Amino acid sequence: MTVHVDLLTARELASSRAATVSLLAPVVRFSLRVGADERDALSSALGVPLPTRIGQCSRQGETEILSLGPDEWLVLASESEAAGIIEACAAIYADAPHSLTDISDREVTLLIEGPKAGELMTLGCPRDLDRLPDGEARRTVFDGVSVVLWRDGAERFHIDVWRSFAPHVMSLLTTGCGELALE
Amino acid sequence: MLLIHCPYCDETLPEAEFAYAGEAHILRPDNPADVSEEEWRDFLFIRTNAKGPHYERWRHIHGCGRFFNAVRNTVTDRFLTTYKAGEPRPELDTLTEDGQ
Ligand SMILES: [Zn+2]
């Protein structure tokens, strides 16, 4: 049976003394693919430097750029900044060919915070998250699902999950949130 | 779980982020119509099936997304090295079981 879950309304999904899991409000996301020779042109056009090391984020205002791969970046922005980003990239396209794709609706964002947030993440993520510095992010896997995972602080994470997998990840985190509180 | 070093991310990461992608350094003939049926069969199906060090492709699918090459000992399951796609295959006598 298909269970339809509301993925548009930001809200708390689960809360215990271990952790709190919330669904965040929609945000604008672009996938940016560009070669090494054109990278600097894109940095100037966007006014935010494209980080060169995989996992690094640069931020300017509400815009954030995360390096996901050697030629792949994720650009996050507020709705009011989106049109400006599309325009700035289009203006340099002839001299600096690249691909900028709006993928806002592809994913939803979940916030995981609380005294056992890190332990809750180990339910699905095989990475050693102690080695992920605050303020950085990685694309990784969560119980078989590709996610982008940010470490915001010692016990605070957020993840971008493809929306068709979100009900699965949300239910796993909700279960874990309750189980970790029992210990 | 195996730990695999991604040469693009420059991190050693759990196997669950990676997908195996068959033997490495197998070149597709430039013009398939020019090769014999035996050569085409060999390209498609015939593999080394090594017992010991094996040159193979992996993809960091739940990560940077890149394909890269590795040398793995098929008996011990140890990775001797990993290297970026397009780089020459390392000579076996330069590799050790510690992956150094
Ligand atoms: Zn990688």
Side-chain angles (χ1 to χ4, degrees), chain A residues 98-181:
Chain A
H98 60 272
S99 150
L100 182 81
T101 311
D102 187 337
I103 53 163
S104 305
D105 273 349
R106 190 178 73 177
E107 283 144 307
V108 299
T109 308
L110 301 174
L111 175 72
I112 300 98
E113 58 182 339
K116 289 190 176 177
E119 203 176 332
L120 183 52
M121 298 312 291
T122 65
L123 242 65
C125 185
R127 271 198 183 232
D128 180 2
L129 291 178
D130 287 347
R131 286 167 53 200
L132 179 62
D134 290 0
E136 289 198 11
R138 297 290 188 277
R139 186 157 51 197
T140 178
V141 66
F142 194 91
D143 201 46
V145 178
S146 240
V147 299
V148 178
L149 185 155
W150 285 259
R151 180 174 215 135
D152 305 322
E155 294 292 352
R156 185 184 155 103
F157 302 85
H158 68 279
I159 55 174
D160 270 12
V161 189
W162 286 33
R163 62 171 51 247
S164 56
F165 297 117
H168 165 63
V169 173
M170 283 156 63
S171 101
L172 187 64
L173 287 170
T174 302
T175 306
C177 200
E179 281 187 356
L180 287 181

Side-chain angles (χ1 to χ4, degrees), chain B residues 6 8-9 60 63-64:
Chain B
C6 173
Y8 293 96
C9 295
H60 193 189
C64 64

Side-chain angles (χ1 to χ4, degrees), chain B residues 3-90:
Chain B
L3 293 173
I4 303 175
H5 183 85
C6 173
Y8 293 96
C9 295
D10 197 21
E11 285 188 287
T12 301
L13 299 165
E15 181 193 353
E17 289 192 2
F18 297 84
Y20 178 69
E23 186 169 354
H25 301 291
I26 294 187
L27 292 182
R28 187 178 195 273
D30 283 338
N31 191 353
D34 288 346
V35 303
S36 69
E37 289 183 357
E38 286 70 27
E39 285 170 313
W40 187 246
R41 173 206 62 196
D42 289 355
F43 160 70
L44 286 179
F45 303 116
I46 305 303
R47 295 295 179 261
T48 311
N49 196 23
K51 180 180 181 184
H54 182 233
Y55 293 88
E56 57 194 25
R57 298 200 310 158
W58 285 79
R59 185 179 181 203
H60 193 189
I61 186 161
H62 298 297
C64 64
R66 284 299 168 116
F67 282 90
F68 59 91
N69 292 329
V71 185
R72 180 179 57 96
N73 186 321
T74 59
V75 178
T76 62
D77 232 0
R78 266 186 195 284
F79 279 80
L80 279 64
T81 191
T82 57
Y83 51 104
K84 291 180 180 177
E87 290 180 359
R89 77 166 78 196

